[in-house]
Amino acid sequence: MSHVRPLIAGNWKMNGLSADVDSIADLAARFEERVPATRVAICPPATLLMEMSRRLAGRGVEFGAQDCRMESAGAFTGDLSPEMLADAGAHLVILGHSERRAYHRETDADVAAKVGGALRAGLEPIVCVGEDESQRDAGRAVEVVTSQVRGSLPSALGGKPFCVAYEPVWAIGSGRTPTVDQISEVHRAIRRELLELFGESGRQPPILYGGSVKPQNAGEVFSAAEVGGALVGGASLLARDFGAIIEAF
Ligand code: PGA
């Protein structure tokens, strides 16, 4: 198990308007006391980062972005640099989410380059990996995930704060979750890979589980080996559900 604090991060995806910032203020009030033991983060759409981080500064909740470009500035219409996201109050950034890999054709090499940009700007990356259903059915889950870990994590990460999120594509938004044994198997394989890539410092990064985490299954998910927190999509949009997941850790 990692020696650093577990992280429960909410991935709002393309959801949320300024009116929704209030729900996070309520959540922060509820968790102010627990925050030292468990890190709690919200990754809202970039449009809300600045308002959320300003309103909730010093309240223990951290903020993250959902993607970034690797460059710091330039002619990239519509994109955001890691420096801009840090300036808007982000401390973390999700990279290589399967929705980015699928809809924007991001490769492991693209993700590794973005990780480099995130480090330059002082952002802590949450790097996502996970097999799709046909890969799992073919018995290739561990092979696919470890290859993504190798390809998406540049050596520059050694000794730096970062997280890996194991998110089986077939479990995202589907209401289906792997068994505890399946989660344990993949998380142990990721830890072995981190130790191989980064030596002893590979013991530190929390390995989050993501994919249909709900208040009803959080306790079971968190009982799996090497689970150092969660990346929560749909259930993070409801402060009550997200709060219950945090409490389950
Ligand atoms: P979900 O999404 O919790 O809605 O399945 C998780 C994610 O995509 O990060």
Side-chain angles (χ1 to χ4, degrees):
M1 187 48 93
S2 154
H3 300 301
V4 296
R5 285 158 65 206
L7 171 68
I8 312 286
N11 172 12
W12 278 21
K13 309 192 181 190
M14 199 174 73
N15 297 288
L17 299 171
S18 50
D20 299 307
V21 175
D22 285 342
S23 71
I24 298 309
D26 294 345
L27 184 84
R30 182 165 158 193
F31 285 100
E32 252 157 345
E33 269 145 46
R34 278 208 56 167
V35 161
T38 307
R39 294 170 70 196
V40 175
I42 300 284
C43 303
T47 46
L48 296 182
L49 261 178
M50 191 168 279
E51 188 185 344
M52 266 195 195
S53 60
R54 285 199 176 153
R55 265 187 60 185
L56 295 173
R59 302 282 295 280
V61 177
E62 298 177 49
F63 296 96
Q66 300 173 11
D67 176 49
C68 67
R69 236 194 126 83
M70 65 167 282
E71 295 85 353
S72 54
F76 302 106
T77 302
D79 285 341
L80 296 170
S81 76
E83 281 78 0
M84 290 169 172
L85 297 166
D87 185 49
H91 174 76
L92 298 142
V93 59
I94 299 169
L95 293 173
H97 190 281
S98 62
E99 285 150 17
R100 302 285 319 172
R101 292 178 187 262
Y103 305 142
H104 298 267
R105 298 202 160 64
E106 288 186 13
T107 63
D108 290 343
D110 295 330
V111 177
K114 290 176 179 214
V115 168
L119 291 180
R120 183 190 63 234
L123 294 176
E124 177 176 339
I126 301 173
V127 180
C128 302
V129 294
E131 82 285 358
D132 66 24
E133 188 153 31
S134 65
Q135 292 164 331
R136 167 142 306 262
D137 289 347
R140 296 182 52 229
V142 165
E143 171 202 331
V144 167
V145 167
T146 50
S147 152
Q148 287 175 332
V149 167
R150 270 195 305 279
S152 308
L153 301 182
S155 57
L157 272 176
K160 303 262 171 40
F162 72 96
C163 307
V164 175
Y166 168 52
E167 299 205 306
V169 178
W170 53 272
I172 294 177
S174 65
R176 296 162 61 203
T177 43
T179 64
V180 170
D181 285 349
Q182 287 172 327
I183 297 175
S184 296
E185 181 191 28
V186 177
H187 277 235
R188 284 197 180 104
I190 292 172
R191 180 65 71 204
R192 277 197 300 275
E193 199 59 41
L194 292 177
L195 287 166
E196 208 152 286
L197 287 170
F198 302 111
E200 267 309 294
S201 72
R203 220 173 278 291
Q204 297 292 326
I207 305 172
L208 316 182
Y209 169 78
S212 295
V213 178
K214 308 270 181 257
Q216 299 77 4
N217 62 19
E220 206 180 349
V221 165
F222 293 150
S223 74
E226 294 285 359
V227 172
L231 184 55
V232 184
S236 72
L237 294 169
L238 290 171
R240 194 174 28 123
D241 284 1
F242 193 51
I245 291 168
I246 295 165
E247 266 164 5
F249 196 87

